[in-house]
Amino acid sequence: MPGAFVGEGVTIEADVVLGPNAVVLGAGNGTAAWVQAGAQIGANATIHPGVTVGIRAQVAPGAVVTRSVPPLAIVEGNPARITGYVETSAGLGPLAGSGPSPSSRGVQATSVRGVTLHNFLKVPDLRGSLTVGEFEREIPFAPKRYFLVFDVPTAETRGEHAHIHCEQFLVAARGSVSVVADDGAAREEFLLDQPQLGLYLPPMTWGIQYRYSQDAVLLVFASDYYDSADYIRDYGDFLDMVRQQSIP
Amino acid sequence: MPGAFVGEGVTIEADVVLGPNAVVLGAGNGTAAWVQAGAQIGANATIHPGVTVGIRAQVAPGAVVTRSVPPLAIVEGNPARITGYVETSAGLGPLAGSGPSPSSRGVQATSVRGVTLHNFLKVPDLRGSLTVGEFEREIPFAPKRYFLVFDVPTAETRGEHAHIHCEQFLVAARGSVSVVADDGAAREEFLLDQPQLGLYLPPMTWGIQYRYSQDAVLLVFASDYYDSADYIRDYGDFLDMVRQQSIP
Amino acid sequence: MPGAFVGEGVTIEADVVLGPNAVVLGAGNGTAAWVQAGAQIGANATIHPGVTVGIRAQVAPGAVVTRSVPPLAIVEGNPARITGYVETSAGLGPLAGSGPSPSSRGVQATSVRGVTLHNFLKVPDLRGSLTVGEFEREIPFAPKRYFLVFDVPTAETRGEHAHIHCEQFLVAARGSVSVVADDGAAREEFLLDQPQLGLYLPPMTWGIQYRYSQDAVLLVFASDYYDSADYIRDYGDFLDMVRQQSIP
Amino acid sequence: MPGAFVGEGVTIEADVVLGPNAVVLGAGNGTAAWVQAGAQIGANATIHPGVTVGIRAQVAPGAVVTRSVPPLAIVEGNPARITGYVETSAGLGPLAGSGPSPSSRGVQATSVRGVTLHNFLKVPDLRGSLTVGEFEREIPFAPKRYFLVFDVPTAETRGEHAHIHCEQFLVAARGSVSVVADDGAAREEFLLDQPQLGLYLPPMTWGIQYRYSQDAVLLVFASDYYDSADYIRDYGDFLDMVRQQSIP
Amino acid sequence: MPGAFVGEGVTIEADVVLGPNAVVLGAGNGTAAWVQAGAQIGANATIHPGVTVGIRAQVAPGAVVTRSVPPLAIVEGNPARITGYVETSAGLGPLAGSGPSPSSRGVQATSVRGVTLHNFLKVPDLRGSLTVGEFEREIPFAPKRYFLVFDVPTAETRGEHAHIHCEQFLVAARGSVSVVADDGAAREEFLLDQPQLGLYLPPMTWGIQYRYSQDAVLLVFASDYYDSADYIRDYGDFLDMVRQQSIP
Amino acid sequence: MPGAFVGEGVTIEADVVLGPNAVVLGAGNGTAAWVQAGAQIGANATIHPGVTVGIRAQVAPGAVVTRSVPPLAIVEGNPARITGYVETSAGLGPLAGSGPSPSSRGVQATSVRGVTLHNFLKVPDLRGSLTVGEFEREIPFAPKRYFLVFDVPTAETRGEHAHIHCEQFLVAARGSVSVVADDGAAREEFLLDQPQLGLYLPPMTWGIQYRYSQDAVLLVFASDYYDSADYIRDYGDFLDMVRQQSIP
């Protein structure tokens, strides 16, 4: 586009769109930036040196990108922050107008293969509230591990990977967290903002957690002990594996 | 004592001590109060009608007791609030000067039979912190249930019972909670104030949770599904059962 | 009662009940206290010198009363605070379980003669919310005056009088205020805690406003300009006038 | 200017100034932007698709405009926010150094035709404060309606219209609001930040309310019942009507 | 008085007044309390064992005293807190209605021998504010030491002593602190609540600091290096020394 | 660079670097900007008219500079804020990993000529904390003046000058302040974030204070009374004087 500038040594992959007057800084200012396939860089946007803009990510017009942008993420502002993920539908949680009210109980399917949203019993009480989940009855597996994620800066994305075999179950024990679940074809975003809501992620689901509230504590149950070989950390690799699995 | 007043219909059990000018209100003001064995009522204290002061509880001088006082509890103020439990030692948690520092990891025995304090790995990170616990490896059982307790008013006691068969594991996912564990003979108080600390309570342990911070979320794992027959809710009954079990 | 003490010069009117060990301080400590007809002083309560305990007021057991207690008020704590009014029913506002939900619109009669509770249209909007009231259509008069009451300490009672001719209409423009309306026979308490709720008080209604939230702003419309001769400031006088009016 | 870019389908009206490297996005990115007469777009500024920049508005250099800009507004930042209005003098309220102190009482004329600033009596009291306004005596009309505006997000403008016949009177019952009054020739900005300050807007006055504080509650009295035909919502139409009225 | 109770081993010095039903606990409950000369114990008050009530202190009716009360202090509440000092006039600071406004500059004498209140120049500025004091010009000595007192719990009294030779100068660098200055004859209380206010205390002045706001930082300049022999820590000793000095 | 724009009348001194699409606004928009020697303007950055960018300052890519940038400062964002100073090492305070722990006491030299960091005794106490500094013993001079700086907006830099003869000693009495000390050759940044830390600045040290926390109170002792002739306010002049002094 007119006025766009791409610095020395910058890698621009296929199907990238650059808006007018956009600047992608190169080796002359440090390490060259890297813009991956299908990414869109808006007009007047500035990509700092050393930054990677992930597969199909979108940088808004005028945004100043100072840190790497994950695949599919939409970023805005100066400095740029993630404000959403492309082509992601709003989930069945409180985000969706037609979703279950907090007092209804049960399990609902979603648009993402195998992902289910669970609404547990909540028992309010003058002496405090209580919510309960039962393993193997309500939650489809017996946990080998739990972990707690906390003190996450609001602007951070924490989690961006898939598991080959491990199942996971997510609960926002306090505060709120947005979770994007992606099976390689469909993508849906869920707002976990009440302790009685849980989200089941089967194996081979790409999961992103972001928009942590200041006081958020995310409780995760995992069906297996930790195994680094079970993690898929690159979205391109994940897409390749999904395609191979679906070929008979 | 001089000036002490005990209302009509009040039950005063054995070994109760009443301070000077203490008032225990009786049937003339509603339902008569009940002061259980070994309780101590301080000088100038006022016990409202309908209130039960539990076994060996202590009401401080000047306190005005408007709600029932659990066994062993120490209450102070106007209105009276629980400030501790009698003959309870400070646990191995951060309450104890000689206890483990949060960065040391491992399991420690306590003065209460079978109760152990667990210090899990904590992984701090600029993108947020994470703590992990493994079932059957670090935690002595596989859970059938979890529950979350939250929105507990600071002044409330929540929990005051024992289980016949069920094992429990307690973690303060956020904020802080004080837990008193009691095997019928020894009593110890633990402050759970960091998400990487866990407390294991074996069957036949009387457990009290109190001093919830405003933002506290208590995460409890249970080794069995809910069974109301497994609960012992009266401390006298609990003491009887402990005595019977220890007689060969 | 045993141990009760009434100081020198104290006036105790008819039908007063004193609890055991209650103390009402007299001229020896300054100005003698004055306990009006039908008041009840609980066990171990302390009434400071110079204090008036109003008609049929109730001082809870253990309370320490340092300021005068209005007629009908119930006080508790140390120092004593107003916690309610005797024989007052909960109004039709959000206090009452069967009351209108905030989204329903309309006017409802109450148990107090001529007093009506109004629920106006509220228009929520992403750009802010708006509520509207129309004079002479929805509100039964055209205002000559408005006033705003604000910065009221939470523990204070502000308002305690009736008008001979003036009509009033009350709206909590922000925060919440409890209003007791009393026609000399029936008494009802209303919680104004949403800006679309309004309360109409006809002439010859004794009105009390208390439990102001920290941020409360009470908006009052009056049907007449200020006239000090229109105020009845003594509850005994008010009762007398009500009785005279109802005699044909 | 050098480097400026105007996208496909963008409407640029008369007397618009574009700074160097400014970008106005067009139909290729969604709906084309529209820049109205006399607007100024600063250097390096970015106007997102679908946005309208109103008559004589000013976009600061480097600003990223993601929402429409009202006539006369000055916007800055990323995303751009309104920081003022062009050619608007500071009013007689606390904004003006020489203005009345809050304790002085009275009515002051302003530079805008017919607009008056009113300072009512404020009665501070240990039991809370009170301010009073009298209709037809101090406020020039008898109200047919009141409305309350609240929960306005800080960054929002709420209000931007004129009335043909209706008079209005504005009071910030809590918090603060800035009001711009414009008679088509002169423009003045008033900070309503104390409950005893009121602003009278006669018919044919273009009024803008913005810079709502987080807790702001704006109380508005109107001389007529609601009539949608009385509203002028387009600033260009307003200017035309003012010109017609002033021609004898 | 009727119903008053004085425990075993309690020391009651001359001129003590006990109200009706007051309780002073003795050796039977631990260490006996000690009520010093001229103290007044109000009706229904409770003095815990081990507590000393200082010379001429006043315990309000209904108070429950759990910690020792300094000489001259007035205590109220449950638990009892210091609310003032007997026979202390309000100082020339903002406490006094007729005092200097913060913008006037200069030095003012007080009712306490040699104590002066200083109002320094304050320079407000959009970039922050600044206040300046000059030693030997405005402050009557050159400092050998400064100290900062901070993180003082609101309810605490910090400071209660006199110096034989050392001069002091006190500034509340942030927040507010109340200072009582006492020359053995006159006593005056000053509220230091703005950083440009300073209080000079000459040798042989009994000084008390209390009512620290939560964020208070008290800055003290001293004319001498630390010398423990220069401190008078007992008010009785201080009174004796003042009397000896004033006898020629 | 391609697409860069420099307005009419703008002064660009030697060794300035302009990134692609950067804009420096000139007389056409008000007063022309001035970019001093060695400054760097990043890609897509916008320099508003009337702004001075100081010696060797760095403007990040995409930054929008609306106020003047001091010498050596690094600015980022829209509007641009100071985030650091070029070639400045982290000081010996808590900023440096190997620095003294708050409990160790003493004086440490720094990389800047004559500047020393002092760690005073801190006496924590249940009744509040206290820290003490002694003049001529621990602090190398007797003060003629103190001043307090407070209410500084967080984004502001306050201080940016050197003294010819006057010595200074800085303490953050509350909150935290970052201080850059510069002898013309070396530059080091110190975080004063505890009241027991002090920083000594000898004559001919360029000092900058910034990153004031919201509650910061900076206490400064000066060895001389105020003398405007002792101030060096221009960094270029300071560098010239340092060079002249170091020539024998």
Side-chain angles (χ1 to χ4, degrees):
Chain A
M1 292 293 290
F5 174 89
V6 175
E8 181 191 351
V10 166
T11 303
I12 304 277
E13 296 187 353
D15 301 322
V16 165
V17 178
L18 256 80
N21 287 352
V23 172
V24 185
L25 290 163
N29 299 79
T31 314
W34 176 16
V35 185
Q36 295 186 333
Q40 299 180 19
I41 312 295
N44 253 348
T46 309
I47 313 298
H48 276 218
V51 159
T52 298
V53 179
I55 296 172
R56 294 178 55 206
Q58 292 182 357
V59 176
V64 176
V65 180
T66 58
R67 302 196 309 178
S68 289
V69 179
L72 309 168
I74 301 165
V75 299
E76 302 177 7
N78 179 358
R81 297 287 183 218
I82 296 175
T83 59
Y85 283 82
V86 300
E87 291 162 31
T88 299
S89 57
L92 294 163
L95 265 184
S98 60
S101 78
S103 59
S104 74
R105 197 182 166 193
V107 182
Q108 283 186 271
T110 72
S111 67
V112 184
R113 191 194 47 229
V115 171
T116 46
L117 186 68
H118 299 239
N119 203 350
F120 292 116
L121 186 64
K122 180 183 167 184
V123 188
D125 191 306
L126 273 182
R127 296 166 308 139
S129 296
L130 186 142
T131 179
V132 184
E134 296 187 332
F135 298 108
E136 294 174 279
R137 287 185 179 171
E138 295 173 316
I139 299 167
F141 59 88
K144 290 296 189 197
R145 251 187 324 152
Y146 76 90
F147 49 93
L148 293 163
V149 181
F150 50 97
D151 290 348
V152 179
T154 302
E156 289 296 320
T157 299
R158 169 104 209 191
E160 289 249 355
H161 61 254
H163 286 280
I164 301 173
H165 298 297
C166 185
E167 300 164 82
Q168 291 199 317
F169 195 84
L170 285 68
V171 173
R174 187 177 164 91
S176 63
V177 183
S178 287
V179 180
V180 176
D182 177 344
D183 58 17
R187 220 171 1 264
E188 193 165 338
E189 177 167 337
F190 305 90
L191 174 62
L192 301 179
D193 65 350
Q194 302 184 60
Q196 70 269 29
L197 289 174
L199 189 71
Y200 171 70
L201 301 183
M204 290 307 292
T205 306
W206 186 259
I208 300 165
Q209 294 110 45
Y210 77 129
R211 285 186 187 141
Y212 283 81
S213 68
Q214 205 178 356
D215 61 345
V217 177
L218 180 68
L219 167 62
V220 181
F221 298 108
S223 65
D224 295 312
Y225 293 123
Y226 178 76
D227 175 7
S228 66
D230 190 56
Y231 280 74
I232 311 169
R233 296 196 178 277
D234 182 85
Y235 188 67
D237 294 352
F238 169 70
L239 290 180
D240 289 348
M241 290 183 69
V242 168
R243 269 181 227 116
Q244 288 167 353
Q245 285 192 343
S246 58
I247 297 166
Chain B
M1 293 294 291
F5 175 89
V6 175
E8 181 191 351
V10 166
T11 305
I12 304 277
E13 298 187 352
D15 299 324
V16 166
V17 178
L18 258 79
N21 280 350
V23 173
V24 184
L25 291 163
N29 300 76
T31 314
W34 177 14
V35 185
Q36 296 186 333
Q40 298 181 22
I41 312 294
N44 238 351
T46 309
I47 312 297
H48 278 220
V51 159
T52 298
V53 179
I55 297 172
R56 294 176 58 205
Q58 292 182 359
V59 177
V64 177
V65 179
T66 57
R67 304 197 305 181
S68 290
V69 180
L72 308 168
I74 302 165
V75 299
E76 300 180 7
N78 183 354
R81 297 287 184 215
I82 297 175
T83 59
Y85 284 82
V86 300
E87 291 160 35
T88 297
S89 57
L92 295 162
L95 264 187
S98 60
S101 79
S103 58
S104 77
R105 196 184 168 191
V107 182
Q108 282 187 273
T110 71
S111 68
V112 184
R113 189 193 49 226
V115 171
T116 46
L117 187 68
H118 298 240
N119 203 350
F120 293 116
L121 187 65
K122 179 184 168 184
V123 188
D125 192 305
L126 273 183
R127 296 166 307 140
S129 295
L130 186 141
T131 180
V132 184
E134 296 186 333
F135 298 107
E136 294 173 279
R137 285 184 179 170
E138 295 172 319
I139 299 168
F141 58 88
K144 289 297 188 195
R145 253 189 322 152
Y146 76 89
F147 49 93
L148 293 163
V149 182
F150 50 97
D151 290 346
V152 179
T154 304
E156 289 296 320
T157 299
R158 169 106 209 189
E160 288 251 356
H161 60 255
H163 287 279
I164 301 173
H165 297 298
C166 185
E167 301 165 82
Q168 291 198 316
F169 195 84
L170 285 69
V171 173
R174 187 174 165 91
S176 63
V177 184
S178 286
V179 182
V180 175
D182 177 343
D183 59 17
R187 221 170 0 265
E188 193 164 340
E189 176 168 338
F190 305 91
L191 174 62
L192 301 180
D193 65 348
Q194 302 184 62
Q196 71 269 29
L197 288 175
L199 188 71
Y200 171 70
L201 300 183
M204 290 307 291
T205 307
W206 185 260
I208 299 164
Q209 294 111 43
Y210 76 130
R211 286 187 187 139
Y212 283 80
S213 67
Q214 206 179 356
D215 62 344
V217 178
L218 180 67
L219 167 63
V220 181
F221 299 109
S223 65
D224 295 312
Y225 294 123
Y226 178 76
D227 174 9
S228 67
D230 191 56
Y231 280 73
I232 311 168
R233 296 194 178 277
D234 182 84
Y235 187 68
D237 295 351
F238 169 70
L239 290 180
D240 289 347
M241 290 182 72
V242 167
R243 270 181 226 117
Q244 289 168 351
Q245 285 192 341
S246 61
I247 295 166
Chain C
M1 295 292 292
F5 175 89
V6 176
E8 181 191 352
V10 166
T11 304
I12 305 275
E13 297 187 352
D15 300 323
V16 165
V17 179
L18 257 78
N21 278 353
V23 173
V24 185
L25 290 162
N29 301 77
T31 313
W34 177 15
V35 184
Q36 295 186 334
Q40 300 180 19
I41 312 294
N44 237 355
T46 309
I47 312 298
H48 277 220
V51 159
T52 298
V53 179
I55 295 173
R56 294 177 56 205
Q58 293 182 357
V59 176
V64 177
V65 179
T66 58
R67 303 197 306 181
S68 289
V69 180
L72 310 167
I74 301 165
V75 299
E76 301 179 8
N78 182 352
R81 296 288 183 217
I82 297 174
T83 60
Y85 284 82
V86 300
E87 290 160 34
T88 299
S89 57
L92 295 163
L95 265 186
S98 60
S101 77
S103 58
S104 77
R105 197 183 168 191
V107 182
Q108 283 186 271
T110 72
S111 67
V112 185
R113 190 194 48 228
V115 172
T116 45
L117 187 68
H118 298 239
N119 203 351
F120 293 116
L121 186 65
K122 180 185 169 185
V123 188
D125 191 305
L126 274 183
R127 295 166 308 139
S129 295
L130 186 140
T131 180
V132 184
E134 295 186 333
F135 298 108
E136 294 175 278
R137 287 184 180 172
E138 296 172 319
I139 300 167
F141 59 89
K144 289 298 188 196
R145 251 190 321 153
Y146 77 90
F147 49 92
L148 294 163
V149 181
F150 50 96
D151 291 347
V152 178
T154 303
E156 289 297 320
T157 299
R158 169 108 209 187
E160 291 248 352
H161 61 255
H163 287 278
I164 300 173
H165 297 298
C166 185
E167 301 164 83
Q168 291 198 315
F169 195 84
L170 286 68
V171 174
R174 187 175 164 92
S176 62
V177 183
S178 287
V179 180
V180 176
D182 178 343
D183 58 17
R187 220 172 359 264
E188 192 164 339
E189 177 166 338
F190 304 90
L191 175 61
L192 301 180
D193 65 348
Q194 302 183 62
Q196 71 269 29
L197 289 174
L199 189 71
Y200 171 69
L201 301 183
M204 289 308 291
T205 307
W206 186 259
I208 299 164
Q209 295 112 42
Y210 76 130
R211 286 188 188 138
Y212 284 80
S213 67
Q214 205 178 357
D215 61 344
V217 177
L218 180 67
L219 167 62
V220 181
F221 299 108
S223 65
D224 295 312
Y225 294 123
Y226 178 76
D227 174 8
S228 66
D230 190 56
Y231 280 74
I232 311 169
R233 296 195 180 279
D234 182 84
Y235 187 69
D237 294 351
F238 169 70
L239 290 181
D240 289 348
M241 290 182 70
V242 168
R243 267 181 231 120
Q244 290 168 349
Q245 286 192 342
S246 59
I247 297 166
Chain D
M1 292 294 291
F5 174 90
V6 175
E8 182 191 351
V10 166
T11 304
I12 304 277
E13 297 186 353
D15 301 323
V16 166
V17 179
L18 255 80
N21 288 352
V23 172
V24 184
L25 288 164
N29 300 78
T31 313
W34 176 17
V35 185
Q36 296 185 333
Q40 300 181 19
I41 313 294
N44 252 348
T46 308
I47 312 298
H48 276 220
V51 159
T52 298
V53 179
I55 296 172
R56 292 179 57 207
Q58 292 182 358
V59 176
V64 176
V65 179
T66 58
R67 302 196 309 178
S68 289
V69 180
L72 308 168
I74 302 166
V75 299
E76 302 178 8
N78 180 355
R81 298 286 183 219
I82 297 174
T83 58
Y85 284 81
V86 299
E87 291 161 33
T88 299
S89 58
L92 293 163
L95 267 185
S98 59
S101 79
S103 59
S104 75
R105 199 183 165 192
V107 182
Q108 283 187 270
T110 71
S111 67
V112 184
R113 189 194 49 229
V115 172
T116 46
L117 187 68
H118 298 239
N119 203 350
F120 292 116
L121 186 64
K122 180 184 168 186
V123 187
D125 190 304
L126 274 182
R127 297 166 308 139
S129 296
L130 187 141
T131 180
V132 183
E134 296 186 333
F135 297 108
E136 295 174 278
R137 286 184 181 172
E138 295 172 318
I139 300 168
F141 58 89
K144 289 295 188 198
R145 250 189 321 154
Y146 77 89
F147 48 94
L148 293 163
V149 181
F150 51 96
D151 291 347
V152 179
T154 303
E156 289 297 320
T157 299
R158 169 106 210 189
E160 291 247 354
H161 60 255
H163 286 279
I164 300 173
H165 297 298
C166 185
E167 300 164 83
Q168 292 198 313
F169 195 84
L170 285 68
V171 173
R174 188 176 163 92
S176 62
V177 183
S178 286
V179 181
V180 175
D182 177 344
D183 58 18
R187 219 170 1 264
E188 191 164 339
E189 177 167 337
F190 304 90
L191 175 62
L192 301 180
D193 65 349
Q194 302 185 61
Q196 70 269 28
L197 288 175
L199 188 71
Y200 171 70
L201 301 183
M204 290 308 292
T205 308
W206 186 259
I208 300 165
Q209 295 111 44
Y210 76 130
R211 286 188 188 137
Y212 283 81
S213 67
Q214 206 177 356
D215 61 345
V217 177
L218 180 67
L219 167 62
V220 181
F221 298 108
S223 65
D224 295 313
Y225 294 122
Y226 178 77
D227 174 8
S228 66
D230 191 56
Y231 280 74
I232 312 168
R233 294 193 180 281
D234 182 85
Y235 188 69
D237 294 351
F238 169 71
L239 291 181
D240 288 348
M241 291 182 69
V242 168
R243 270 182 226 116
Q244 289 168 352
Q245 286 193 342
S246 57
I247 297 165
Chain E
M1 293 295 290
F5 176 89
V6 175
E8 181 190 351
V10 166
T11 305
I12 305 277
E13 297 187 354
D15 300 322
V16 165
V17 179
L18 257 79
N21 279 350
V23 173
V24 185
L25 291 163
N29 300 77
T31 314
W34 178 15
V35 184
Q36 295 186 336
Q40 299 181 19
I41 313 293
N44 238 351
T46 310
I47 312 297
H48 277 221
V51 159
T52 298
V53 179
I55 296 171
R56 295 178 56 206
Q58 292 182 357
V59 177
V64 176
V65 179
T66 58
R67 304 196 306 182
S68 289
V69 180
L72 308 168
I74 301 165
V75 299
E76 300 179 8
N78 182 354
R81 298 286 183 217
I82 297 174
T83 58
Y85 284 82
V86 300
E87 291 161 32
T88 299
S89 57
L92 294 163
L95 265 186
S98 60
S101 77
S103 58
S104 75
R105 198 182 167 193
V107 182
Q108 282 187 272
T110 72
S111 68
V112 186
R113 189 193 49 227
V115 172
T116 46
L117 186 68
H118 299 240
N119 204 350
F120 292 116
L121 186 65
K122 181 184 168 184
V123 188
D125 191 306
L126 274 183
R127 296 166 309 139
S129 296
L130 186 142
T131 179
V132 184
E134 295 186 333
F135 298 107
E136 295 174 278
R137 287 184 178 172
E138 295 173 317
I139 299 167
F141 58 89
K144 289 297 188 196
R145 250 189 323 153
Y146 77 89
F147 49 92
L148 293 163
V149 181
F150 50 97
D151 290 347
V152 178
T154 303
E156 289 295 321
T157 300
R158 169 108 209 188
E160 290 250 354
H161 60 255
H163 287 279
I164 301 171
H165 298 298
C166 185
E167 301 163 82
Q168 291 199 315
F169 196 84
L170 285 69
V171 174
R174 186 176 165 93
S176 63
V177 184
S178 285
V179 181
V180 175
D182 177 344
D183 59 16
R187 224 175 350 270
E188 193 165 340
E189 177 168 336
F190 305 90
L191 175 61
L192 301 180
D193 65 349
Q194 301 184 63
Q196 70 270 27
L197 289 175
L199 188 70
Y200 171 70
L201 301 183
M204 288 308 292
T205 306
W206 185 259
I208 300 164
Q209 295 112 43
Y210 77 129
R211 286 188 187 140
Y212 283 82
S213 67
Q214 205 178 356
D215 62 344
V217 178
L218 180 67
L219 167 62
V220 181
F221 299 107
S223 66
D224 294 311
Y225 294 124
Y226 178 77
D227 174 9
S228 66
D230 191 56
Y231 279 74
I232 311 168
R233 295 196 178 276
D234 182 85
Y235 188 69
D237 294 351
F238 170 71
L239 290 180
D240 288 348
M241 291 182 70
V242 168
R243 270 180 228 120
Q244 288 169 353
Q245 286 191 343
S246 58
I247 297 166
Chain F
M1 292 294 290
F5 174 89
V6 175
E8 182 191 351
V10 166
T11 305
I12 304 277
E13 298 187 351
D15 302 322
V16 165
V17 179
L18 254 81
N21 288 351
V23 171
V24 185
L25 289 163
N29 301 77
T31 314
W34 176 16
V35 185
Q36 296 185 332
Q40 299 180 21
I41 312 295
N44 252 349
T46 309
I47 312 298
H48 275 219
V51 159
T52 298
V53 179
I55 296 172
R56 291 177 60 205
Q58 292 181 359
V59 176
V64 176
V65 179
T66 57
R67 304 197 307 181
S68 289
V69 180
L72 309 167
I74 301 165
V75 298
E76 302 177 9
N78 180 356
R81 298 287 184 219
I82 297 174
T83 59
Y85 284 81
V86 300
E87 291 160 33
T88 299
S89 57
L92 294 162
L95 265 186
S98 59
S101 79
S103 60
S104 75
R105 197 184 166 193
V107 182
Q108 283 187 272
T110 71
S111 67
V112 185
R113 189 194 50 227
V115 172
T116 46
L117 186 69
H118 298 239
N119 203 349
F120 292 116
L121 187 65
K122 180 184 167 183
V123 187
D125 192 304
L126 274 184
R127 296 166 308 138
S129 295
L130 186 142
T131 179
V132 184
E134 296 186 335
F135 298 107
E136 295 174 277
R137 286 184 179 172
E138 295 172 320
I139 298 167
F141 59 87
K144 288 297 190 196
R145 252 190 322 152
Y146 75 89
F147 48 93
L148 293 163
V149 182
F150 50 97
D151 291 345
V152 179
T154 302
E156 289 297 318
T157 299
R158 169 108 209 189
E160 292 251 355
H161 59 256
H163 287 278
I164 301 173
H165 297 298
C166 184
E167 301 165 82
Q168 291 198 315
F169 195 83
L170 285 69
V171 174
R174 188 176 163 92
S176 63
V177 184
S178 286
V179 182
V180 175
D182 178 343
D183 59 16
R187 218 168 4 262
E188 193 164 337
E189 177 167 336
F190 304 91
L191 174 62
L192 301 180
D193 64 350
Q194 302 184 61
Q196 71 270 28
L197 290 174
L199 188 71
Y200 171 70
L201 301 183
M204 290 306 291
T205 307
W206 185 260
I208 300 164
Q209 294 110 45
Y210 76 129
R211 286 186 186 140
Y212 282 81
S213 67
Q214 204 178 356
D215 62 345
V217 178
L218 180 67
L219 168 62
V220 181
F221 298 108
S223 64
D224 295 313
Y225 294 122
Y226 179 76
D227 174 8
S228 66
D230 190 56
Y231 280 74
I232 311 169
R233 295 195 179 277
D234 182 84
Y235 188 68
D237 294 351
F238 170 70
L239 290 180
D240 289 349
M241 291 182 70
V242 168
R243 270 182 226 116
Q244 289 167 353
Q245 285 193 341
S246 59
I247 296 166

